Amino acid sequence: MCIMESLVGKHIVLGITGSIAAYKSAYLVRALIKKGADVQVVMTPSAKEFIAPLTLSTLTQKPVVSEFFDRRDGSWHSHVALGQWADLMLIAPASASTIAKMANGIADNMLLTTYLSMKAPTFVAPAMDLDMYRHEATTDNLNTLKSRGITIIEPGNGFLASGLEGKGRMEEPEAIVKHIEAFFSKSQQLGNKKVLITAGPTYEAIDTVRFIGNHSSGKMGIALAEAFRDAGAEVTLVLGPSALPDPECVHCIRVTTALEMLAASERPFKECDIAIFSAAVADFRPKKAFQGKIKREMQQDPLIIELEPNPDIAATLSAQKRSDQLTGGFALETEVNVLEAQRKLKSKQLDFIVLNSLSEAGSGFGVDTNRIRIIDKEEKDPIVYPLTDKKEVARQIVDFVVGKQAHAY
Ligand code: PMT
């Protein structure tokens, strides 16, 4: 049984601003890393007056980001990539000036551009003297941030209540970490649920060295397995040939062919609450795989490979579905063909289907992004999502499933 530290695998962007409390950031980074988080520090230029970037890059084992360009080689630091990478952004300490700029959408340093591109929830731990903190401009700015869903961590609303005299002072690092842990454990909406995911391609042998396959990398299915795991589910991932490593704390069964994928999925399907079929399964396999390598010289006439159909894993398992189980599939189309996806949804007896199309740039095989439409068997119109990172797409699918589950009970 794999025990996850509460922040294992969580990507946290830690923004540090120019405040005397910046010295506490080193303790904060250490505490986050100890809980298993992967931390990327982004500093404002004035933060560097208070704490050396070297201290932070040594702790995180990653270069600190503070400029738009790397001074050494001129390479561009992408705030957009950081916004997509992060599961959470924490700005601690957050000075009055940074809070004011955040409230007003000012983007004159790397930390602020990262904040404006952030796709993940943001937490702010203010740090300033009491008069600045009490000023109505600061109060207004903090209220603006709150109204945008940003969580403000202050002494007194924390786990280590420090009394009113602490206002304006940055909350202690251990208490900040407790806030972050509480946030992630609240998002464990699928605790006690078992989830089966099929992913990747299948390879069907023509001879000992050749196969029929497709371009699936396994990225989408692995992102799904991680997103369901992060929502508290116990996940079994049946994964076809993929160069990617097994995701942490997921029961990963590696298979090669469609027949193996079906066999490996049968038992976990019986035990699961939710099954998502994201694999790109070869619909046909050579009737007989040639032992050895077929040589050009052996062929007088055109080479004919006789194919036979593979089982449809999604349809076979969904046909055995209990009323308390939820099944979802994917439809990969060359056009945005909602009607075809609806046909697959019905014929495979699925509860929902996720349509992605190769005609939309950045979608489908191999790439890190995807654009999906979810078609629910109960609804007429698809839910249309924007193009985004596959990790975010996976979270969108988890949210959809959580919504369906809430509806079911
Ligand atoms: O792995 P990546 O590079 O990240 O790419 C992700 C992806 C494009 C492979 C993924 O997003 C996706 O679209 N997966 C489904 C691919 C597919 O084969 O779609 P389909 O429309 O042919 O199949 C419809 C459904 O039936 C799918 O849920 C599929 O898993 C299932 N199926 C199909 C055939 C079969 N023999 N058995 C099945 O279970």
Side-chain angles (χ1 to χ4, degrees):
M1 169 83 181
C2 180
I3 311 271
M4 293 267 284
E5 273 288 358
S6 56
L7 299 180
V8 166
K10 298 288 184 244
H11 294 169
I12 296 182
V13 168
L14 174 62
I16 304 176
T17 73
S19 155
I20 186 72
Y23 78 92
K24 290 188 185 170
S25 308
Y27 299 102
L28 188 52
V29 167
R30 209 173 51 181
L32 290 168
I33 289 176
K34 216 166 146 196
K35 295 286 181 184
D38 192 353
V39 181
Q40 172 64 62
V41 171
V42 182
M43 298 175 89
T44 62
S46 59
K48 290 195 260 179
E49 306 289 334
F50 293 91
I51 183 164
L54 182 63
T55 308
L56 299 160
S57 61
T58 307
L59 286 169
T60 58
Q61 310 261 294
K62 280 194 190 77
V64 162
V65 174
S66 69
E67 314 278 343
F68 292 106
F69 295 96
D70 191 313
R71 281 182 195 280
R72 288 160 305 180
D73 58 8
S75 61
W76 165 250
H77 288 135
S78 170
H79 49 91
V80 175
L82 278 178
Q84 285 169 345
W85 175 83
D87 295 305
L88 184 141
M89 180 173 195
L90 167 65
I91 305 178
S95 65
S97 163
T98 291
I99 289 168
K101 288 178 181 178
M102 287 169 75
N104 290 287
I106 296 170
D108 63 357
N109 63 41
M110 187 66 190
L111 189 154
L112 289 160
T113 50
T114 304
Y115 160 68
L116 284 178
S117 317
M118 189 47 61
K119 299 275 179 281
T122 301
F123 285 62
V124 164
M128 65 201 75
D129 76 49
L130 192 54
D131 291 329
M132 287 171 83
Y133 180 79
R134 278 199 190 129
H135 197 283
E136 64 180 11
T138 305
T139 308
D140 286 352
N141 290 332
L142 283 171
N143 285 337
T144 301
L145 296 191
K146 278 184 204 160
S147 71
R148 290 184 192 148
I150 292 173
T151 306
I152 312 294
I153 306 176
E154 299 168 293
N157 70 359
F159 288 81
L160 306 177
S162 330
L164 275 175
E165 80 283 0
K167 286 285 182 195
R169 180 172 66 70
M170 186 176 99
E171 181 55 292
E172 293 305 322
E174 314 82 73
I176 294 178
V177 171
K178 286 211 165 81
H179 270 283
I180 308 287
E181 286 181 298
F183 166 77
F184 281 118
S185 76
K186 255 191 244 146
S187 58
Q188 301 275 297
Q189 295 145 309
L190 293 175
N192 304 326
K193 296 285 180 205
K194 290 189 175 165
V195 176
L196 164 68
I197 291 163
T198 68
T202 65
Y203 288 176
E204 315 293 334
I206 295 172
D207 63 14
T208 307
V209 296
R210 303 177 181 98
F211 57 83
I212 293 174
N214 59 65
H215 299 293
S216 170
S217 62
K219 281 180 189 170
M220 189 63 250
I222 289 174
L224 272 172
E226 289 174 336
F228 275 100
R229 174 203 66 196
D230 292 348
E234 194 183 310
V235 181
T236 300
L237 171 68
V238 180
L239 180 61
S242 164
L244 299 171
D246 292 7
E248 261 186 86
C249 285
V250 163
H251 178 47
C252 185
I253 306 171
R254 299 264 178 176
V255 296
T256 304
T257 65
L259 287 175
E260 287 170 15
M261 187 171 275
L262 176 59
S265 302
E266 271 167 344
R267 182 140 176 220
F269 181 79
K270 284 198 178 82
E271 294 169 357
C272 79
D273 303 285
I274 301 154
I276 305 206
F277 305 102
S278 73
V281 186
D283 276 315
F284 297 92
R285 62 176 184 270
K287 210 162 182 179
K288 233 171 135 194
F290 184 84
Q291 290 307 307
K293 188 174 173 187
I294 301 172
K295 299 253 178 345
R296 188 188 283 264
E297 302 75 50
M298 291 157 62
Q299 294 306 131
Q300 303 286 323
D301 302 317
L303 174 62
I304 292 169
I305 301 169
E306 213 182 327
L307 302 177
E308 61 184 349
N310 264 328
D312 187 315
I313 299 168
T316 308
L317 295 179
S318 255
Q320 304 163 16
K321 181 170 59 168
R322 297 186 311 267
S323 61
D324 62 336
Q325 285 177 307
L326 185 79
T327 59
F330 270 67
L332 178 66
E333 305 299 333
T334 47
E335 300 297 329
V336 181
N337 191 338
V338 174
L339 284 179
E340 180 56 12
Q342 276 164 335
R343 189 195 63 75
K344 287 181 182 172
L345 169 78
K346 258 204 190 131
S347 70
K348 293 173 199 264
Q349 300 180 54
L350 299 162
D351 295 299
F352 68 92
I353 198 155
V354 180
L355 168 62
N356 49 183
S357 166
L358 294 174
S359 65
E360 294 194 294
S363 294
F365 288 135
V367 286
D368 289 333
T369 51
N370 208 358
R371 176 149 200 250
I372 60 163
R373 287 164 174 77
I374 300 184
I375 303 164
D376 186 336
K377 73 167 186 203
E378 321 277 2
E379 305 291 336
K380 206 169 119 272
D381 296 320
I383 311 172
V384 183
Y385 296 85
L387 177 73
T388 187
D389 187 71
K390 279 184 177 162
K391 285 178 193 289
E392 178 57 22
V393 171
R395 285 193 284 259
Q396 291 164 345
I397 294 170
V398 169
D399 286 347
F400 171 83
V401 167
V402 168
K404 291 284 289 176
Q405 295 268 307
H407 212 64
Y409 302 109

